[in-house]
Amino acid sequence: MRLWDRLTGRKAENPAAALYQAVVARGREPHWYETGAVPDTVNGRFDMIASVLAMVMLRIEHDAEAAETTARLTECFVDDMDGQLRQIGIGDVVVGKGIGKMMALLGGRIGAYRDALADGVAPGAFADALLRNLYRGEHPGDAALAHAAEGLRALYDGLAGVSHEALLAGRLA
């Protein structure tokens, strides 16, 4: 942070802000909710954004810059979720607990998706992970589940060809 920014109290721009904005935009695409039957609720939108974010974080962990980018991307997520909780009327006392729970949910998704997408894992493992994490155990129907699984798998596979610099610029494909 530059001296002038510190003296005036301005925060420097988070270098992962464009990437986080792209994650949120991808997670809010209507097809997830229409064709993929992700519930269009506060929880459903959180689950979808967290799933897209998990795909991006799984991609980033293969880069030398992983620690810094993951930390900055996590800061964006926490700031956004803090603002969302406050916007829906959650008070200061509960916000910290809510953020902690959201971080645990994100971490659980990253682990579950990492395991399900690993080489040699049964083909249905990813769909099972989505049922538990994206749909919270409620089966949306075979076509909707296939849509979400194919869309997130395509995102995961497509991210492999995107450079770290392009990711930070917000390009997910």
Side-chain angles (χ1 to χ4, degrees):
M1 182 181 272
R2 296 183 323 203
L3 177 61
W4 183 251
D5 291 335
R6 285 193 310 235
L7 292 173
T8 60
R10 285 189 284 181
K11 279 178 85 173
E13 173 94 20
N14 186 323
L19 175 56
Y20 185 72
Q21 290 169 359
V23 165
V24 171
R26 181 69 61 98
R28 289 185 174 167
E29 289 175 352
H31 70 93
W32 299 118
Y33 307 94
E34 295 165 354
T35 309
V38 172
D40 193 7
T41 62
V42 171
N43 286 338
R45 289 187 297 272
F46 168 81
D47 292 335
M48 193 65 243
I49 290 169
S51 293
V52 172
L53 182 58
M55 297 296 110
V56 171
M57 290 184 132
L58 288 172
R59 158 58 184 85
I60 290 172
E61 69 185 13
H62 299 291
D63 289 343
E65 304 93 344
E68 176 70 19
T69 301
T70 299
R72 296 305 188 134
L73 194 54
T74 302
E75 286 174 11
C76 290
F77 176 73
V78 168
D79 287 347
D80 184 28
M81 293 303 112
D82 180 273
Q84 296 299 324
L85 288 173
R86 291 176 191 284
Q87 188 174 359
I88 61 172
I90 305 296
D92 287 343
V93 175
V94 181
V95 167
K97 289 180 183 178
I99 296 296
K101 183 177 179 181
M102 289 177 185
M103 290 303 298
L105 291 170
L106 176 62
R109 281 166 176 77
I110 292 169
Y113 297 160
R114 180 187 299 115
D115 293 345
L117 292 167
D119 291 335
V121 176
F126 187 54
D128 291 342
L130 290 177
L131 274 174
R132 287 188 314 275
N133 294 284
L134 178 59
Y135 294 103
R136 298 186 183 211
E138 297 291 325
H139 200 296
D142 292 338
L145 180 59
H147 176 80
E150 290 166 9
L152 285 168
R153 177 64 165 215
L155 172 63
Y156 176 75
D157 292 341
L159 288 169
V162 179
S163 72
H164 194 84
E165 294 76 27
L167 281 173
L168 284 175
R171 291 192 291 274
L172 298 181

